[in-house]
């Protein structure tokens, strides 16, 4: 644990708990962390998941729009080619 974090943590917080919360939320729950101290970790985890889900949705929408535009061009090329053959 860095010196900065150790200076900022309250004396009542065990370093074992800080390491557990940093490792994963499941490990923090398994160590028996006090629910009052566990709630900020849960909130941070949920916020992170929402952020990742939002970014993924925006990227997926971008890929869908790009695919639609590219497929429209392929369809236009197919029509143009069939007109030239006939």
């Amino acid at each position: 644990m860095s010196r900065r974090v150790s200076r900022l943590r309250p004396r009542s917080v065990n370093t074992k708990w800080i390491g557990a919360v940093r490792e994963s939320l499941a490990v923090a729950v398994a160590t028996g962390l006090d629910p009052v101290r566990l709630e900020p970790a849960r909130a941070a985890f949920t916020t992170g998941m929402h952020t990742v889900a939002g970014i993924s949705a925006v990227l997926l929408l971008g890929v869908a729009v790009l695919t639609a535009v590219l497929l429209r061009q392929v369809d236009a090329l197919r029509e143009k080619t069939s007109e030239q053959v006939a």
Side-chain angles (χ1 to χ4, degrees):
M1 179 172 21
S2 70
R3 284 187 226 164
R4 181 174 179 208
V5 171
S6 64
R7 284 184 303 177
L8 295 176
R9 75 172 172 83
R11 296 278 182 220
S12 62
V13 175
N14 188 342
T15 56
K16 175 180 127 183
W17 291 339
I18 291 174
V21 170
R22 185 178 294 148
E23 186 173 330
S24 78
L25 190 56
V27 173
V29 171
T31 60
L33 193 60
D34 184 23
V36 174
R37 293 192 175 118
L38 191 57
E39 188 55 38
R42 283 187 178 148
F45 176 79
T46 304
T47 301
M49 288 296 290
H50 287 157
T51 302
V52 169
I55 291 170
S56 297
V58 169
L59 289 174
L60 185 61
L61 181 63
V63 168
V65 169
L66 181 65
T67 302
V69 168
L70 291 175
L71 287 177
R72 184 174 294 165
Q73 291 174 357
V74 168
D75 195 34
L77 279 173
R78 185 178 303 148
E79 288 175 10
K80 195 175 195 181
T81 306
S82 65
E83 288 174 3
Q84 289 176 352
V85 171

